[in-house]
Amino acid sequence: MEDDILNEIVSSEDLKKFERLYLNESTTDNLQRGTQFNYAWCLVRSRYSADIRKGITLLEDLFKTEDSTNEHAKRDYLYYLALGNARIKEYTKALQYTRAFLSIEPGNQQLANLETLIKKKMEAEGLKGIALAGGVALAVGGIVGLGFALAKGKK
């Protein structure tokens, strides 16, 4: 019951409808953020991993370009980025997104439940150690990158 969220599939009618809107607005250089989000939201709930990956890319673009004052939108993007990555079994990335969200809103039960579900999936697939090692490598890489950036700034 609890992992229904990972198995929820968008209807083909919704996917086609939002794809049509997205393509129409894209070709007229009038793409609205809401249209892109709705299409990405459908894609991450597709049964096909290529669609899910495309949805993740659209959400990442939205997240990077969103006005920092629009916290509600950023939370939505983080949630669906976590969900999309979990659906394609990119659990380490999914956990990074859930943790980023929970650092902003620690009491969010929906995200806490998704994080728990992702961890259960990792354990069931024997990936917990891999994710922890990957997380350490990413953290070390991020710290090294930050160190280089700070060193460059001092020159």
Side-chain angles (χ1 to χ4, degrees):
M1 193 69 176
E2 64 184 14
D3 72 311
D4 285 348
I5 186 96
L6 293 181
N7 298 320
E8 180 183 315
I9 303 295
V10 67
S11 71
S12 59
E13 295 81 21
D14 277 351
L15 183 57
K16 288 176 187 172
K17 176 177 97 176
F18 287 110
E19 180 180 39
R20 209 173 311 114
L21 288 169
Y22 175 82
L23 293 174
N24 286 342
E25 288 184 16
S26 295
T27 57
T28 61
D29 290 330
N30 191 29
L31 180 59
Q32 302 295 310
R33 298 182 75 70
T35 303
Q36 183 171 336
F37 174 76
N38 287 333
Y39 182 45
W41 170 73
C42 286
L43 287 168
V44 297
R45 294 171 35 245
S46 171
R47 69 178 73 247
Y48 304 106
S49 62
D51 286 349
I52 297 168
R53 289 181 194 285
K54 184 176 180 179
I56 289 169
T57 300
L58 292 173
L59 288 165
E60 287 171 340
D61 177 55
L62 285 167
F63 186 82
K64 288 180 209 169
T65 60
E66 184 61 61
D67 181 351
S68 61
T69 62
N70 193 347
E71 289 183 25
H72 180 72
K74 287 216 174 231
R75 286 193 308 262
D76 286 346
Y77 305 152
L78 285 173
Y79 177 78
Y80 287 105
L81 282 164
L83 181 66
N85 278 287
R87 293 200 64 224
I88 58 172
K89 300 183 182 194
E90 293 283 344
Y91 298 123
T92 302
K93 281 185 180 180
L95 283 176
Q96 288 172 339
Y97 287 120
T98 60
R99 289 175 182 151
F101 188 112
L102 290 169
S103 72
I104 297 166
E105 196 176 306
N108 187 297
Q109 201 55 47
Q110 186 180 20
L111 253 290
N113 291 341
L114 180 58
E115 182 180 43
T116 300
L117 178 60
I118 292 166
K119 288 177 181 177
K120 284 181 184 177
K121 291 283 189 183
M122 292 175 77
E123 285 178 16
E125 295 178 27
L127 298 173
K128 192 170 189 176
I130 293 170
L132 291 175
V136 169
L138 287 172
V140 169
I143 292 168
V144 170
L146 178 60
F148 283 131
L150 292 173
K152 269 187 163 178
K154 289 184 179 179
K155 289 184 179 177

